[in-house]
Amino acid sequence: MVSLKNIIAAVAVSYLTFAETQAQKMVIDDVVAIVGDDAILRSDIEAQYEQAMMDGTSYNGDMKCHIFEQLLIQKLMINQANIDSVIVTESEVMGQVDSRINYFVQQVGGQEKLEEYFNKPMAQIKRDQIDMVRTMAITQRMQRKITEDVKITPSEIRKYFNSMSEDSIPYISAQYEIQQIVVYPQVEQSEIDRIKGRLRDFQKQVSEGRDFATLAVFHSEDAVSATRGGDLGWATKATYVPEFSAVAFNLQEKGKVSKIVETEYGYHIIQLIDRKGDRINLRHILLKPKISAESKRKAVEFLDTVSTMLKDEKLTFEEAAMRYSMDKDSRWNGGKMLNEGGSVKFQLNEIPAEIAKALQGLKEGEYSKPFAMIDEKRGKETYRIIKLTKRHEPHRANIRDDYNMLQGLMLERKCKSIVDEWIEQRIKEIYISISPEWRNCDFEYKGWVK
């Protein structure tokens, strides 16, 4: 019996052959590769190429070929992630997307210029980013799963360091230890009441026969799902933030509309479309409270008061952070910021632009004036003051001062070796077909072309 996979593969190969023989090469969305049952489109490569140009990313070689191979690897990872039930939550994805969009808008000087740059409306740009971010996040999580058992011992690190020639010992650029106090401007009660009033009106309209999807299209501030009538697609409980899931998964009757739900993204009402086992299909309408100029002013004023208390030595920066900071990631360790590797030391390129700007001119022990900054995880405007705790001068790495960095280097090296082995083995096991025009890329991994 011919399997579904073989049928899909045969159709894909026929399509690729047909596409190549066409004299007109004007098709943007032609299939350039099949990995398992998943296709890679030319537009996937072009979209990531555009973003690389926006980010100022450079590559010593053919950038599009490099992007293509990364997409091939992503398909391998996604395929395995589906088998292993590796997922990321919607809140994780949306936090990163909001951060990216805000960064892009700042880079080009406004939303209209961003739409002009990509030649797409903002809703489509955001949709593209959601797909891209979700794929990258699942890929990263799958890589972590592959390497979750990797361990590095102190003796391995010493042996690794001692084996380095003097010229190969990493040169460490200036590093910074930073503390912060973060404040979220308060949403005024009148604004919360306004938002809830609108949502209650939507609930009433649906109960009187108005279509929930139509209301979502015209009123929801979730730009992505609004274009689909608020449809969030099929998902498990772990997909959403707990407050949202707790209400959504209690809906039993199709078409039923929930009570108003507050999450870190705003206020929602949810409608159940359908459910199958532990998965449900939902619609929602999201409204985001607006922060008033007065609330922003009060946030800055509050941080000015905290600064005065610090200057008058009424409390230490650590005490102020634990007492007043609203950032749950740094509050309980005295405001100390940690990088992705869990270290308190940041190189300049690891520091968000707003914080790097605030660091300018600060000496050790000094702190900045209050400044505005978007919370990358939550996509919310914040106000903060930072303290330059310590500046480490540029130097050659050594075991005493840079143990964590050396540990990270060796761990990265070991993990890469394991991931490389996994990729090479998976290439041999899974069906892969690449369009002839992409087969001459200088791939890092062998075996893509069979």
Side-chain angles (χ1 to χ4, degrees):
M1 180 178 289
V2 180
S3 71
L4 176 60
K5 180 181 288 188
N6 289 335
I7 293 172
I8 292 172
V11 171
V13 171
S14 298
Y15 180 86
L16 290 171
T17 304
F18 172 80
E20 180 165 17
T21 60
Q22 302 309 299
Q24 283 281 28
K25 298 229 175 179
M26 307 254 331
V27 179
I28 300 300
D29 254 1
D30 57 331
V31 176
V32 297
I34 301 287
V35 180
D37 296 333
D38 294 328
I40 296 176
L41 305 178
R42 186 182 303 277
S43 61
D44 296 333
I45 300 170
E46 294 298 335
Q48 294 212 16
Y49 181 76
E50 285 181 0
Q51 182 156 321
M53 295 301 98
M54 168 75 72
D55 292 340
T57 303
S58 60
Y59 179 72
N60 187 23
D62 188 319
M63 173 69 83
K64 289 188 179 180
C65 277
H66 172 68
I67 290 170
F68 178 48
E69 185 168 26
Q70 295 308 304
L71 288 171
L72 289 168
I73 293 169
Q74 284 180 3
K75 294 299 183 184
L76 290 181
M77 295 285 178
I78 296 295
N79 180 276
Q80 190 64 42
N82 289 334
I83 295 171
D84 295 348
S85 300
V86 174
I87 61 171
V88 293
T89 66
E90 201 68 14
S91 61
E92 291 176 273
V93 173
M94 292 308 299
Q96 291 186 48
V97 168
D98 288 341
S99 176
R100 280 180 173 225
I101 295 293
N102 288 328
Y103 170 75
F104 291 159
V105 168
Q106 290 175 5
Q107 287 292 101
V108 301
Q111 179 174 321
E112 289 184 2
K113 290 185 178 179
L114 184 64
E115 291 176 327
E116 183 180 339
Y117 180 88
F118 284 110
N119 194 28
K120 296 175 183 177
M122 181 57 74
Q124 182 61 50
I125 295 172
K126 195 167 185 179
R127 266 199 304 276
D128 293 344
Q129 288 297 314
I130 287 174
D131 292 338
M132 197 177 298
V133 167
R134 183 181 289 110
T135 298
M136 290 174 65
I138 293 174
T139 300
Q140 290 167 359
R141 190 152 291 177
M142 191 64 227
Q143 286 180 331
R144 288 198 294 272
K145 182 176 176 62
I146 293 168
T147 59
E148 62 187 355
D149 295 328
V150 177
K151 299 289 187 295
I152 303 293
T153 66
S155 61
E156 285 180 302
I157 295 170
R158 284 193 296 272
K159 185 177 179 180
Y160 171 61
F161 181 75
N162 291 332
S163 69
M164 291 181 174
S165 65
E166 187 173 344
D167 290 341
S168 66
I169 295 175
Y171 186 78
I172 311 298
S173 58
Q175 294 176 306
Y176 303 84
E177 294 182 31
I178 308 165
Q179 292 169 270
Q180 63 178 354
I181 298 171
V182 182
V183 170
Y184 293 95
Q186 186 174 1
V187 179
E188 295 176 349
Q189 187 60 47
S190 59
E191 174 64 4
I192 295 174
D193 292 342
R194 182 188 72 82
I195 291 287
K196 288 184 174 180
R198 288 189 67 199
L199 290 173
R200 279 193 288 268
D201 180 55
F202 296 153
Q203 289 171 324
K204 182 173 182 291
Q205 289 185 52
V206 174
S207 70
E208 293 173 350
R210 185 81 187 273
D211 182 44
F212 189 103
T214 301
L215 289 171
V217 168
F218 286 105
H219 302 290
S220 180
E221 294 180 51
D222 178 353
V224 177
S225 70
T227 61
R228 304 191 297 263
D231 193 334
L232 293 170
W234 288 94
T236 62
K237 198 168 187 176
T239 304
Y240 305 112
V241 291
E243 306 92 333
F244 190 94
S245 287
V247 173
F249 279 78
N250 275 329
L251 295 171
Q252 300 297 326
E253 182 183 342
K254 292 181 184 179
K256 181 74 173 177
V257 177
S258 74
K259 66 181 182 180
I260 296 170
V261 184
E262 180 185 1
T263 72
E264 58 192 296
Y265 299 104
Y267 292 83
H268 318 246
I269 53 173
I270 310 164
Q271 184 183 53
L272 177 63
I273 300 174
D274 198 1
R275 65 189 311 143
K276 294 177 182 177
D278 63 348
R279 298 168 68 241
I280 59 175
N281 186 198
L282 305 168
R283 290 190 183 96
H284 82 141
I285 296 174
L286 168 68
L287 297 182
K288 301 177 181 180
K290 305 297 184 288
I291 304 297
S292 69
E294 177 64 12
S295 290
K296 295 176 183 180
R297 185 191 66 76
K298 285 181 178 178
V300 173
E301 191 177 78
F302 175 75
L303 285 176
D304 281 333
T305 301
V306 174
S307 294
T308 300
M309 295 167 68
L310 293 170
K311 288 176 183 175
D312 294 342
E313 298 184 349
K314 292 184 177 179
L315 73 174
T316 65
F317 198 95
E318 290 76 9
E319 291 169 337
M322 288 190 284
R323 188 177 301 179
Y324 301 119
S325 182
M326 298 178 184
D327 179 65
K328 60 184 180 182
D329 296 328
S330 62
R331 176 179 183 178
W332 300 114
N333 62 358
K336 290 179 183 177
M337 292 176 58
L338 302 179
N339 64 23
E340 290 185 359
S343 171
V344 295
K345 296 179 182 178
F346 288 81
Q347 295 192 19
L348 196 59
N349 62 357
E350 298 176 313
I351 302 172
E354 299 91 336
I355 294 180
K357 183 177 179 181
L359 279 174
Q360 292 179 6
L362 292 183
K363 298 177 181 177
E364 287 188 6
E366 292 182 342
Y367 43 86
S368 71
K369 294 179 180 179
F371 63 94
M373 178 178 167
I374 300 297
D375 183 312
E376 294 183 1
K377 288 186 178 179
R378 300 166 185 87
K380 290 185 176 181
E381 186 172 1
T382 69
Y383 288 84
R384 62 188 74 196
I385 54 177
I386 61 162
K387 176 184 175 182
L388 176 55
T389 310
K390 188 173 181 60
R391 184 182 189 274
H392 299 267
E393 297 299 327
H395 62 280
R396 288 281 182 190
N398 61 77
I399 287 284
R400 186 191 65 188
D401 298 323
D402 305 299
Y403 181 88
N404 288 338
M405 186 277 296
L406 292 168
Q407 182 184 44
L409 278 178
M410 189 172 183
L411 184 62
E412 182 180 341
R413 180 180 170 186
K414 200 168 184 179
C415 287
K416 185 180 185 308
S417 176
I418 289 173
V419 171
D420 286 347
E421 290 176 9
W422 184 91
I423 291 172
E424 289 169 359
Q425 182 61 35
R426 200 74 184 97
I427 288 173
K428 296 175 184 176
E429 297 170 346
I430 196 168
Y431 172 81
I432 299 170
S433 177
I434 294 177
S435 177
E437 64 184 293
W438 290 89
R439 291 177 185 173
N440 292 326
C441 284
D442 185 17
F443 294 119
E444 177 183 354
Y445 299 95
K446 307 305 177 186
W448 292 117
V449 180
K450 299 178 180 179

Coordinates of all heavy atoms in Angstrom, one line a residue, residues 21-83:
T21 N 10.7 23.8 -14.9 CA 10.6 23.8 -16.3 C 9.9 25.1 -16.9 O 9.9 25.3 -18.1 CB 9.9 22.6 -16.9 OG1 8.6 22.5 -16.4 CG2 10.7 21.3 -16.5
Q22 N 9.3 25.8 -16.0 CA 8.5 27.0 -16.5 C 9.5 28.1 -16.9 O 10.5 28.4 -16.2 CB 7.6 27.5 -15.3 CG 6.6 26.5 -14.9 CD 5.8 25.9 -16.0 OE1 5.1 26.6 -16.7 NE2 6.0 24.6 -16.2
A23 N 9.2 28.7 -18.0 CA 10.1 29.8 -18.5 C 10.0 31.0 -17.6 O 10.9 31.7 -17.4 CB 9.7 30.2 -19.9
Q24 N 8.7 31.3 -17.1 CA 8.5 32.4 -16.2 C 8.9 32.0 -14.8 O 8.2 31.2 -14.2 CB 7.1 32.9 -16.3 CG 6.7 33.6 -17.5 CD 7.2 35.1 -17.4 OE1 8.1 35.4 -16.7 NE2 6.5 36.0 -18.1
K25 N 9.8 32.7 -14.2 CA 10.2 32.4 -12.8 C 9.7 33.5 -11.9 O 10.4 34.1 -11.2 CB 11.7 32.3 -12.7 CG 12.2 31.1 -13.5 CD 13.1 30.2 -12.7 CE 13.5 29.0 -13.5 NZ 14.4 28.1 -12.8
M26 N 8.4 33.8 -12.0 CA 7.8 35.0 -11.3 C 7.1 34.5 -10.1 O 6.5 35.3 -9.4 CB 6.8 35.7 -12.3 CG 7.5 36.1 -13.5 SD 7.9 37.8 -13.8 CE 6.8 38.8 -12.9
V27 N 7.0 33.2 -9.9 CA 6.2 32.7 -8.7 C 7.0 32.9 -7.5 O 8.1 32.4 -7.4 CB 5.9 31.2 -8.9 CG1 5.1 30.7 -7.7 CG2 5.1 31.0 -10.2
I28 N 6.4 33.6 -6.5 CA 7.1 33.9 -5.3 C 7.0 32.8 -4.3 O 8.0 32.5 -3.6 CB 6.6 35.2 -4.7 CG1 6.8 36.4 -5.6 CG2 7.3 35.5 -3.3 CD1 8.2 36.7 -6.0
D29 N 5.9 32.1 -4.2 CA 5.6 31.1 -3.2 C 5.8 29.7 -3.7 O 5.1 28.8 -3.3 CB 4.2 31.3 -2.6 CG 4.2 31.9 -1.3 OD1 5.3 32.2 -0.8 OD2 3.2 32.1 -0.7
D30 N 6.7 29.4 -4.6 CA 6.9 28.1 -5.0 C 7.6 27.3 -3.9 O 8.4 27.8 -3.1 CB 7.7 28.0 -6.4 CG 9.0 28.7 -6.3 OD1 9.1 29.7 -5.6 OD2 9.9 28.3 -7.0
V31 N 7.4 26.0 -3.9 CA 8.0 25.1 -2.9 C 9.5 24.9 -3.3 O 9.8 24.5 -4.4 CB 7.3 23.8 -2.8 CG1 8.0 22.8 -1.9 CG2 5.8 24.0 -2.4
V32 N 10.4 25.1 -2.4 CA 11.8 24.9 -2.7 C 12.4 23.7 -2.0 O 13.5 23.2 -2.3 CB 12.6 26.2 -2.3 CG1 12.2 27.3 -3.2 CG2 12.6 26.5 -0.8
A33 N 11.6 23.1 -1.0 CA 12.1 21.9 -0.3 C 10.9 21.3 0.4 O 10.0 22.0 0.8 CB 13.2 22.2 0.6
I34 N 11.1 20.0 0.6 CA 10.1 19.2 1.5 C 11.0 18.5 2.5 O 11.9 17.8 2.2 CB 9.3 18.2 0.6 CG1 8.5 18.9 -0.5 CG2 8.4 17.4 1.6 CD1 7.3 19.6 0.0
V35 N 10.6 18.6 3.8 CA 11.3 17.9 4.8 C 10.2 17.1 5.6 O 9.3 17.7 6.2 CB 12.0 18.8 5.8 CG1 12.7 18.0 6.9 CG2 13.1 19.7 5.1
G36 N 10.2 15.8 5.5 CA 9.1 15.0 6.0 C 7.8 15.4 5.3 O 7.8 15.2 4.1
D37 N 6.8 15.9 6.0 CA 5.6 16.3 5.3 C 5.5 17.8 5.3 O 4.4 18.3 4.9 CB 4.4 15.8 6.1 CG 4.3 14.2 6.1 OD1 4.8 13.7 5.2 OD2 3.8 13.7 7.1
D38 N 6.5 18.5 5.6 CA 6.5 20.0 5.6 C 7.2 20.6 4.5 O 8.3 20.2 4.1 CB 7.1 20.5 6.9 CG 6.3 20.1 8.2 OD1 5.1 20.0 8.0 OD2 6.9 19.9 9.2
A39 N 6.6 21.7 3.9 CA 7.3 22.4 2.8 C 8.0 23.7 3.3 O 7.6 24.3 4.2 CB 6.2 22.8 1.8
I40 N 9.0 24.0 2.6 CA 9.7 25.3 2.7 C 9.4 26.1 1.4 O 9.7 25.6 0.3 CB 11.2 25.2 2.9 CG1 11.5 24.5 4.2 CG2 11.8 26.6 2.9 CD1 12.9 24.2 4.5
L41 N 8.8 27.3 1.6 CA 8.5 28.1 0.4 C 9.6 29.2 0.2 O 10.3 29.6 1.1 CB 7.2 28.8 0.7 CG 6.0 28.0 1.0 CD1 4.7 28.8 1.3 CD2 5.7 26.9 -0.1
R42 N 9.6 29.6 -1.1 CA 10.6 30.7 -1.4 C 10.3 31.9 -0.5 O 11.2 32.6 -0.1 CB 10.5 31.0 -2.9 CG 11.5 32.0 -3.3 CD 11.4 32.4 -4.8 NE 11.4 31.2 -5.6 CZ 12.5 30.6 -6.1 NH1 13.7 31.1 -5.7 NH2 12.5 29.5 -6.8
S43 N 9.0 32.2 -0.3 CA 8.6 33.3 0.5 C 9.2 33.2 1.9 O 9.4 34.3 2.6 CB 7.1 33.6 0.5 OG 6.5 32.4 1.1
D44 N 9.3 32.0 2.5 CA 9.9 31.8 3.8 C 11.3 32.4 3.8 O 11.7 33.0 4.8 CB 9.9 30.3 4.2 CG 8.5 29.7 4.3 OD1 7.6 30.5 4.6 OD2 8.4 28.5 4.1
I45 N 12.1 32.0 2.8 CA 13.5 32.5 2.7 C 13.5 34.0 2.6 O 14.3 34.7 3.2 CB 14.2 31.8 1.6 CG1 14.2 30.3 1.8 CG2 15.6 32.3 1.4 CD1 14.7 29.5 0.6
E46 N 12.6 34.5 1.7 CA 12.6 36.0 1.4 C 12.3 36.8 2.7 O 12.8 37.8 3.0 CB 11.7 36.3 0.3 CG 12.1 35.8 -1.1 CD 13.4 36.3 -1.6 OE1 13.8 37.4 -1.2 OE2 14.1 35.6 -2.4
A47 N 11.3 36.2 3.4 CA 10.8 36.9 4.6 C 12.0 37.0 5.7 O 12.2 38.1 6.3 CB 9.6 36.2 5.2
Q48 N 12.7 35.9 5.8 CA 13.8 35.9 6.8 C 15.0 36.7 6.3 O 15.7 37.3 7.1 CB 14.2 34.5 7.2 CG 13.1 33.7 7.9 CD 13.7 32.7 8.9 OE1 14.8 32.7 9.2 NE2 12.8 31.8 9.3
Y49 N 15.1 36.8 5.0 CA 16.2 37.6 4.4 C 15.9 39.1 4.7 O 16.8 39.8 5.1 CB 16.3 37.3 2.9 CG 17.4 38.1 2.2 CD1 18.7 37.8 2.4 CD2 17.1 39.3 1.5 CE1 19.8 38.5 1.8 CE2 18.1 40.0 0.9 CZ 19.4 39.6 1.0 OH 20.4 40.4 0.4
E50 N 14.6 39.5 4.5 CA 14.2 40.9 4.7 C 14.5 41.2 6.2 O 15.0 42.3 6.5 CB 12.7 41.1 4.4 CG 12.4 41.2 2.9 CD 11.0 41.4 2.7 OE1 10.2 41.5 3.6 OE2 10.6 41.5 1.5
Q51 N 14.2 40.3 7.1 CA 14.3 40.6 8.5 C 15.8 40.7 8.9 O 16.2 41.5 9.7 CB 13.7 39.5 9.4 CG 13.8 39.8 10.9 CD 12.8 39.1 11.7 OE1 11.6 39.0 11.3 NE2 13.1 38.6 12.8
A52 N 16.7 39.8 8.2 CA 18.1 39.9 8.5 C 18.7 41.2 8.1 O 19.5 41.8 8.7 CB 18.8 38.8 7.7
M53 N 18.1 41.7 6.9 CA 18.6 43.1 6.5 C 18.1 44.1 7.5 O 18.8 45.1 7.8 CB 18.0 43.4 5.1 CG 18.5 42.4 4.0 SD 20.3 42.5 3.7 CE 20.8 41.1 4.7
M54 N 16.9 44.0 8.0 CA 16.4 44.9 9.0 C 17.2 44.9 10.3 O 17.5 46.0 10.8 CB 14.9 44.6 9.3 CG 14.3 45.3 10.5 SD 13.9 47.0 10.2 CE 12.5 46.8 9.2
D55 N 17.7 43.7 10.7 CA 18.5 43.6 11.9 C 19.9 44.0 11.7 O 20.7 44.1 12.6 CB 18.4 42.1 12.4 CG 17.0 41.7 12.9 OD1 16.2 42.6 13.2 OD2 16.8 40.5 13.0
G56 N 20.3 44.2 10.4 CA 21.7 44.5 10.1 C 22.6 43.2 10.3 O 23.8 43.3 10.5
T57 N 22.0 42.0 10.1 CA 22.8 40.8 10.2 C 23.7 40.6 9.0 O 23.3 40.8 7.9 CB 21.8 39.6 10.3 OG1 20.9 39.8 11.4 CG2 22.6 38.3 10.5
S58 N 24.9 40.2 9.2 CA 25.8 39.9 8.1 C 26.2 38.5 8.2 O 26.2 37.8 9.2 CB 27.1 40.8 8.2 OG 27.8 40.6 9.4
Y59 N 26.6 37.9 7.0 CA 27.1 36.5 7.0 C 28.1 36.4 5.9 O 28.0 36.9 4.8 CB 25.9 35.6 6.6 CG 26.2 34.2 6.5 CD1 26.5 33.4 7.7 CD2 26.3 33.5 5.3 CE1 26.9 32.1 7.6 CE2 26.6 32.2 5.2 CZ 26.9 31.5 6.3 OH 27.3 30.2 6.2
N60 N 29.2 35.7 6.3 CA 30.4 35.6 5.3 C 30.1 34.4 4.4 O 30.6 33.3 4.5 CB 31.6 35.3 6.1 CG 32.9 35.3 5.2 OD1 32.8 35.9 4.2 ND2 33.9 34.6 5.7
G61 N 29.2 34.7 3.4 CA 28.8 33.7 2.4 C 27.5 34.1 1.8 O 27.1 35.2 1.9
D62 N 26.8 33.1 1.2 CA 25.5 33.4 0.6 C 24.5 33.4 1.7 O 24.1 32.3 2.3 CB 25.2 32.3 -0.4 CG 24.0 32.6 -1.3 OD1 23.0 33.0 -0.7 OD2 24.0 32.3 -2.5
M63 N 24.0 34.6 2.0 CA 23.0 34.7 3.1 C 21.7 33.9 2.9 O 21.2 33.2 3.8 CB 22.6 36.2 3.3 CG 21.5 36.4 4.3 SD 22.0 36.1 6.0 CE 22.8 37.7 6.4
K64 N 21.2 33.9 1.7 CA 20.0 33.1 1.4 C 20.2 31.6 1.5 O 19.3 30.9 2.0 CB 19.4 33.5 0.0 CG 18.8 34.9 0.0 CD 18.1 35.2 -1.3 CE 17.5 36.7 -1.2 NZ 16.8 37.0 -2.5
C65 N 21.4 31.1 1.1 CA 21.6 29.7 1.3 C 21.7 29.4 2.8 O 21.3 28.3 3.2 CB 22.9 29.4 0.6 SG 22.7 29.0 -1.2
H66 N 22.4 30.3 3.5 CA 22.5 30.1 5.0 C 21.1 30.0 5.6 O 20.8 29.1 6.4 CB 23.3 31.2 5.6 CG 23.3 31.2 7.1 ND1 24.0 30.2 7.8 CD2 22.8 32.0 8.0 CE1 23.8 30.4 9.1 NE2 23.1 31.5 9.3
I67 N 20.2 31.0 5.2 CA 18.8 31.0 5.8 C 18.1 29.7 5.4 O 17.4 29.1 6.2 CB 18.1 32.2 5.3 CG1 18.7 33.5 5.9 CG2 16.6 32.1 5.5 CD1 18.2 34.8 5.3
F68 N 18.3 29.3 4.1 CA 17.6 28.1 3.7 C 18.0 26.9 4.5 O 17.2 26.1 4.9 CB 18.0 27.8 2.2 CG 17.5 26.6 1.6 CD1 16.1 26.2 1.7 CD2 18.3 25.7 0.8 CE1 15.6 25.1 1.2 CE2 17.8 24.6 0.3 CZ 16.4 24.3 0.4
E69 N 19.3 26.7 4.8 CA 19.8 25.6 5.6 C 19.2 25.7 7.0 O 18.8 24.7 7.6 CB 21.3 25.5 5.7 CG 21.7 24.2 6.4 CD 23.2 23.9 6.2 OE1 24.0 24.8 6.0 OE2 23.6 22.7 6.4
Q70 N 19.1 26.9 7.6 CA 18.5 27.0 8.9 C 17.1 26.6 8.9 O 16.6 26.0 9.9 CB 18.7 28.5 9.4 CG 20.1 28.9 9.6 CD 20.9 28.0 10.5 OE1 20.5 27.7 11.6 NE2 22.0 27.5 10.0
L71 N 16.4 26.9 7.8 CA 15.0 26.5 7.7 C 14.9 25.0 7.6 O 13.9 24.4 8.1 CB 14.3 27.2 6.5 CG 14.0 28.7 6.6 CD1 13.6 29.3 5.3 CD2 13.0 29.0 7.7
L72 N 15.8 24.4 6.9 CA 15.8 22.9 6.8 C 16.0 22.3 8.2 O 15.3 21.3 8.6 CB 16.9 22.4 5.9 CG 16.8 22.7 4.4 CD1 18.1 22.5 3.7 CD2 15.7 21.8 3.8
I73 N 16.9 22.9 8.9 CA 17.2 22.4 10.3 C 15.9 22.6 11.2 O 15.5 21.7 12.0 CB 18.4 23.1 10.9 CG1 19.7 22.7 10.2 CG2 18.5 22.8 12.4 CD1 20.9 23.6 10.5
Q74 N 15.3 23.8 11.0 CA 14.1 24.0 11.8 C 13.0 23.0 11.5 O 12.3 22.5 12.4 CB 13.5 25.4 11.5 CG 14.3 26.5 12.1 CD 13.7 27.9 11.8 OE1 12.7 28.0 11.1 NE2 14.4 28.9 12.3
K75 N 12.8 22.6 10.2 CA 11.8 21.6 9.9 C 12.2 20.2 10.6 O 11.3 19.5 11.0 CB 11.7 21.4 8.4 CG 11.2 22.6 7.6 CD 9.8 23.0 8.1 CE 9.3 24.2 7.3 NZ 7.9 24.6 7.8
L76 N 13.4 19.9 10.6 CA 13.8 18.7 11.3 C 13.4 18.7 12.8 O 12.9 17.8 13.4 CB 15.4 18.5 11.2 CG 16.0 18.1 9.9 CD1 17.5 17.9 10.1 CD2 15.4 16.8 9.3
M77 N 13.7 19.9 13.4 CA 13.4 20.1 14.8 C 11.9 20.1 15.1 O 11.4 19.5 16.0 CB 14.0 21.4 15.3 CG 15.5 21.5 15.3 SD 16.2 20.5 16.6 CE 18.0 20.8 16.3
I78 N 11.1 20.8 14.2 CA 9.7 20.8 14.4 C 9.1 19.4 14.2 O 8.2 19.1 15.0 CB 9.1 21.8 13.3 CG1 9.6 23.2 13.6 CG2 7.5 21.7 13.4 CD1 9.1 23.8 14.9
N79 N 9.6 18.7 13.3 CA 9.1 17.3 13.1 C 9.3 16.5 14.3 O 8.4 15.8 14.8 CB 9.9 16.7 11.9 CG 9.4 15.3 11.6 OD1 9.9 14.3 12.2 ND2 8.5 15.1 10.7
Q80 N 10.5 16.6 15.0 CA 10.7 15.8 16.2 C 10.0 16.4 17.4 O 9.5 15.6 18.2 CB 12.2 15.9 16.5 CG 12.7 14.9 17.6 CD 12.4 13.5 17.2 OE1 12.7 13.0 16.1 NE2 11.9 12.7 18.2
A81 N 9.8 17.7 17.4 CA 9.0 18.4 18.5 C 7.6 17.9 18.5 O 7.0 17.7 19.5 CB 9.1 19.9 18.3
N82 N 7.0 17.7 17.3 CA 5.6 17.2 17.2 C 5.6 15.8 17.7 O 4.6 15.4 18.4 CB 5.2 17.2 15.7 CG 4.9 18.6 15.2 OD1 4.7 19.5 16.0 ND2 5.0 18.8 13.9
I83 N 6.6 15.0 17.5 CA 6.6 13.6 18.0 C 6.7 13.6 19.5 O 6.1 12.8 20.2 CB 7.8 12.8 17.3 CG1 7.6 12.7 15.8 CG2 8.0 11.5 18.0 CD1 8.8 12.1 15.1

